[in-house]
Amino acid sequence: MPFLLRVLLPDVPGSLGRVASAIGMAGGDIEAIEIVEKRDDGTAVDDVLLELEQGMMPDSVVSACSALDGVEVLWVSRYPAGGNLVMDLEAVEELTASPAGAFDRLVDLLPATFRVDWAARVHRAKGVVHRTSAAPEEFDFVEIESPTRLEVPEDEITLYAASRLDGNEVVVIGRRGGPEFADSEIARLGHLCGLAVTIANS
């Protein structure tokens, strides 16, 4: 059974190796690792996609990682079956394959690229014009100048982030339950939306 583990660890040589060894000793099999963010305080945030035997819970892996000096488990959850860590460059390749449909393809790719539950493209006048299956059918347009986290008071479970495509359209992504969107994820969202605009207009 796949799980996604987000860990905070010292950004020094050997830290990731210690975490990997602890996960292995606790019975986890690492499938992939992605650096989410490097922080100014000398720490890094990494996402670890790991496989556990059927029926095994991640508690032992969390305990093993938390026992390491300077390591903190920020979040752990089951990962959708068949999910994979899609890198930004692979997403860009998908967009360039069909520039005319770049905006819709971007929305389709964002859940895997950012490990979120859904994505939607929202027009100022028309509302939701394209969305993934789990996205709400209706979502109000938000006036933003730069990529940002969104506060949606009526929903205390889902975390939101958005970036504008132009003056009339924004892309919104939703992640139920966590983890919080890191600053680097917000920046990546803005970067990918900017690339989609460039590709669509090329």
Side-chain angles (χ1 to χ4, degrees), residues 43-68:
T43 62
V45 177
D46 290 355
D47 278 352
V48 181
L49 181 64
L50 55 92
E51 185 75 24
L52 298 179
E53 293 182 6
Q54 188 67 33
M56 180 180 175
M57 297 305 291
D59 303 34
S60 58
V61 172
V62 172
S63 296
C65 292
S66 300
L68 300 172

Side-chain angles (χ1 to χ4, degrees), residues 100-124:
F103 289 169
D104 286 350
R105 189 65 187 131
L106 172 67
V107 169
D108 294 338
L109 292 169
L110 286 176
T113 307
F114 284 86
R115 295 177 303 283
V116 295
D117 294 284
W118 56 263
R121 183 161 61 94
V122 184
H123 187 274
R124 180 187 297 275

Side-chain angles (χ1 to χ4, degrees), residues 7 23 36 45 47 55 88 93-94 98 112 126 144 162 166 182 186:
V7 293
I23 290 173
V36 175
V45 177
D47 278 352
D88 292 358
E93 287 179 5
E94 291 265 359
S98 180
K126 301 175 183 177
I144 56 174
D166 56 35
I186 301 297

Side-chain angles (χ1 to χ4, degrees), residues 14 17 20 48 76 87 93 102 115 127 131 178 182 185:
V48 181
V76 63
M87 302 304 291
E93 287 179 5
R115 295 177 303 283
R131 65 186 182 93
E185 291 181 298

